[in-house]
Amino acid sequence: MALHKVGKHPEETEERRRLSLNPFYGAADPLGSMTLAPPQHRLPEGPMAPATAYQFVHDELMLDGNSRLNLATFVTTWMEPEAGKLMAECRDKNMIDKDEYPRTAELERRCVAMLADLWHAPDPATTVGCSTTGSSEACMLSGMALKRRWAQRNKDRYPGARPNLVMGVNVQVCWDKFCNFWEVEPRLVPMEGDRFHLDPQAAADLCDENTIGVVAVLGSTFDGSYEPVQEVCAALDALQERTGLDIPVHVDGASGAMIAPFLDEDLAWDFRLPRVASINTSGHKYGLVYPGVGWALWRSPENLPEELVFRVNYLGGDMPTFALNFSRPGAQVVAQYYTFIRLGRDGYRAVQQTTRDVARSLAEKIDCLGDFHLLTRGDELPVFAVTTNPDVKNYDVFDVSRRLREAGWLVPAYTFPPHREDLSVLRFVCRNGFSADLAELLLEDLQRAMPELRAQSAPQSKDKAAATSFHH
């Protein structure tokens, strides 16, 4: 969570603000609720009518961006009313109380089994997994399991030896956090030329006896491309033949693990590869659930050290749990189960195919404008990244992002990490609910902005770091 500094604000001085509100939102005496507004940075002295409090907060939130027009986020921004109703019915249930809410716990167990089957686990009945608040927590748990297994195998050397984790420089920031929090050395494979994600041989070359695992990302957040998981495993197989080092692979499938099973069924990236020890995904991304749910699965109980598992009594039996968070609502897990049974394989395939079709079509039309170069085309994740052509000198991607924002569209512009800091791109994330019609409207707004952008004498963005933010 973000850290906020608390200080004296002008509105908290003796000069009080007056609350201006439509009288219809007041109490029985309308004017009684139109006196003083509550302070913004300390608790008010007394209560106010619920309708007044609601409207006060509601009006301020209208200044947020429209989530449906947010092409920066991977997170689901639309669900069916029936899903919302189920979530409202379950938001007071605490997921950790599995003995008090046994049916919610059972739905979580079923979701794990469904994902194990979807990801070709050797025996879905024995695959272990759990729900989380998102992929960030799932990655933390998976990293902890990798480190603990490595420590068990190196009891004679650890804690003297420092463990390391090999991954591409394009990984999501949660992996940097994991390495920081759990004192693991991050070994990052840099981007080179037109390769924007992990190189299999470069990853193997960074491994040694202290490597706890290699992270392969199925769907890089920088450009939407899949990392070559099968090739990474093959490189590590060759490494084991030469050196005896047995390095497990974790697949960060935050987005791609809910795309590839339906649209790229022949692609080997999951538990079909014996070296893949664990997989995570975000239910609230292409799992099609509102924010607040992720999943972590391990190939077998041997891949998740027993001492990391917390056990509670469940219907007179044993319910293992493994999570960083303790109390959290069961609503998102219920919504995930609803979506699984609501859509099934064919439904998910139709939704994801439509999303990919929209992404590919929009990418091709932007390419036809002539000003842009496509790094990816939306044919893996429904995500693509573009940069300006070398001969475009009048404006840059930060100018484009700003002009689109004026029309309500949130499209992030950002620079790539080492060794490609010279490359600045726009990234378009297409999700369920971003229809072909909306894509046409976006294209029209982009075309409308082009004459003025082309007429600029030079790019207008002075501070590119502050020009926009890069949202995962």
Side-chain angles (χ1 to χ4, degrees), residues 210-446:
N210 295 328
T211 301
I212 65 174
V214 173
V215 175
V217 181
L218 194 71
S220 172
T221 58
F222 279 88
D223 63 358
S225 62
Y226 292 162
E227 290 191 333
V229 182
Q230 187 170 20
E231 288 82 352
V232 169
C233 290
L236 294 175
D237 289 342
L239 177 68
Q240 185 175 7
E241 290 179 7
R242 295 194 312 270
T243 66
L245 294 175
D246 186 8
I247 309 295
V249 169
H250 171 79
V251 178
D252 182 350
S255 295
M258 293 305 296
I259 294 289
F262 306 108
L263 303 187
D264 308 295
E265 296 180 66
D266 295 332
L267 180 67
W269 64 271
D270 52 15
F271 290 127
R272 284 173 287 185
L273 303 172
R275 196 165 291 276
V276 173
S278 51
I279 302 172
N280 72 274
T281 197
S282 291
H284 59 227
K285 292 182 179 175
Y286 289 103
L288 307 181
V289 176
Y290 283 140
V293 63
W295 300 93
L297 270 69
W298 288 264
R299 169 181 292 276
S300 67
E302 290 73 29
N303 296 105
L304 178 61
E306 177 64 26
E307 61 266 29
L308 294 178
V309 179
F310 176 74
R311 297 186 176 278
V312 296
N313 183 276
Y314 169 58
L315 294 178
D318 185 52
M319 168 59 78
T321 65
F322 178 35
L324 296 178
N325 288 288
F326 200 71
S327 294
R328 58 186 173 91
Q332 281 79 5
V333 168
V334 171
Q336 183 74 85
Y337 183 71
Y338 165 84
T339 307
F340 280 169
I341 64 170
R342 164 74 174 87
L343 292 177
R345 286 180 181 256
D346 289 344
Y348 263 96
R349 185 176 297 108
V351 170
Q352 313 299 36
Q353 185 64 60
T354 299
T355 306
R356 180 182 280 182
D357 290 345
V358 170
R360 293 178 64 178
S361 174
L362 180 59
E364 290 172 3
K365 291 174 181 177
I366 291 176
D367 192 27
C368 289
L369 294 177
D371 290 46
F372 301 99
H373 168 67
L374 270 63
L375 277 65
T376 48
R377 294 180 172 272
D379 51 2
E380 292 183 322
L381 288 191
V383 176
F384 62 95
V386 307
T387 188
T388 51
N389 281 324
D391 58 340
V392 174
K393 307 295 183 184
N394 306 66
Y395 65 92
D396 58 20
V397 294
F398 299 95
D399 293 325
V400 178
S401 177
R402 186 172 57 253
R403 291 304 303 268
L404 288 175
R405 192 180 187 98
E406 292 172 1
W409 302 100
L410 304 179
V411 181
Y414 52 90
T415 56
F416 269 30
H419 297 157
R420 289 305 314 268
E421 298 99 325
D422 60 304
L423 182 59
S424 299
V425 304
L426 287 165
R427 187 194 66 194
F428 297 79
V429 177
C430 301
R431 304 177 311 278
N432 182 40
F434 181 68
S435 63
D437 288 342
L438 285 175
E440 286 293 336
L441 293 175
L442 170 62
L443 184 67
E444 289 174 7
D445 285 331
L446 177 58

Side-chain angles (χ1 to χ4, degrees), residues 56-75:
F56 188 72
V57 178
H58 173 82
D59 287 352
E60 185 165 349
L61 290 176
M62 288 195 299
L63 298 177
D64 275 345
N66 186 327
S67 63
R68 291 284 299 281
L69 304 183
N70 184 0
L71 276 75
T73 183
F74 285 79
V75 173

Side-chain angles (χ1 to χ4, degrees), residues 59-234:
D59 287 352
E60 185 165 349
L61 290 176
M62 288 195 299
L63 298 177
D64 275 345
N66 186 327
S67 63
R68 291 284 299 281
L69 304 183
N70 184 0
L71 276 75
T73 183
F74 285 79
V75 173
T76 296
T77 56
W78 182 87
M79 290 189 76
E80 293 174 313
E82 291 81 1
K85 183 178 179 181
L86 275 174
M87 294 181 76
E89 293 170 356
C90 298
R91 61 191 171 197
D92 61 338
K93 296 181 180 180
N94 189 354
M95 271 300 303
I96 200 62
D97 295 332
K98 298 183 186 298
D99 55 339
E100 296 179 19
Y101 306 115
R103 301 321 302 171
T104 303
E106 170 63 14
L107 297 190
E108 179 187 30
R109 189 191 66 80
R110 293 178 190 174
C111 287
V112 168
M114 290 176 178
L115 289 171
D117 178 65
L118 186 68
W119 296 340
H120 299 95
D123 183 2
T126 62
T127 299
V128 290
C130 64
S131 65
T132 63
T133 55
S135 269
S136 292
E137 182 187 359
C139 290
M140 296 285 176
L141 299 177
S142 302
M144 288 168 58
L146 290 175
K147 182 181 178 182
R148 189 60 62 91
R149 289 185 64 212
W150 172 86
Q152 290 174 345
R153 296 194 302 266
N154 293 272
K155 292 179 180 178
D156 57 330
R157 300 171 53 252
Y158 183 74
R162 186 186 183 193
N164 65 72
L165 182 65
V166 175
M167 50 196 170
V169 72
N170 57 299
V171 292
Q172 213 264 2
V173 68
C174 67
W175 289 107
D176 297 317
K177 290 183 178 181
F178 165 76
C179 291
N180 188 338
F181 296 165
W182 275 272
E183 299 181 326
V184 173
E185 174 195 355
R187 293 190 175 178
L188 303 177
V189 176
M191 293 181 177
E192 299 287 353
D194 292 332
R195 177 181 56 76
F196 304 121
H197 55 223
L198 188 66
D199 175 73
Q201 190 55 52
D205 291 343
L206 288 177
C207 294
D208 59 23
E209 66 274 11
N210 295 328
T211 301
I212 65 174
V214 173
V215 175
V217 181
L218 194 71
S220 172
T221 58
F222 279 88
D223 63 358
S225 62
Y226 292 162
E227 290 191 333
V229 182
Q230 187 170 20
E231 288 82 352
V232 169
C233 290

Side-chain angles (χ1 to χ4, degrees), residues 10-88:
E11 62 268 29
E12 305 304 338
T13 60
E14 294 301 320
E15 183 179 351
R16 297 288 300 281
R17 301 176 303 121
R18 292 190 62 82
L19 174 59
S20 179
L21 199 65
N22 189 321
F24 286 102
Y25 291 111
D29 175 13
L31 295 180
S33 291
M34 294 181 63
T35 53
L36 295 177
Q40 292 180 325
H41 301 282
R42 60 180 175 83
L43 285 173
E45 295 300 323
M48 66 169 61
T52 305
Y54 167 82
Q55 197 64 32
F56 188 72
V57 178
H58 173 82
D59 287 352
E60 185 165 349
L61 290 176
M62 288 195 299
L63 298 177
D64 275 345
N66 186 327
S67 63
R68 291 284 299 281
L69 304 183
N70 184 0
L71 276 75
T73 183
F74 285 79
V75 173
T76 296
T77 56
W78 182 87
M79 290 189 76
E80 293 174 313
E82 291 81 1
K85 183 178 179 181
L86 275 174
M87 294 181 76

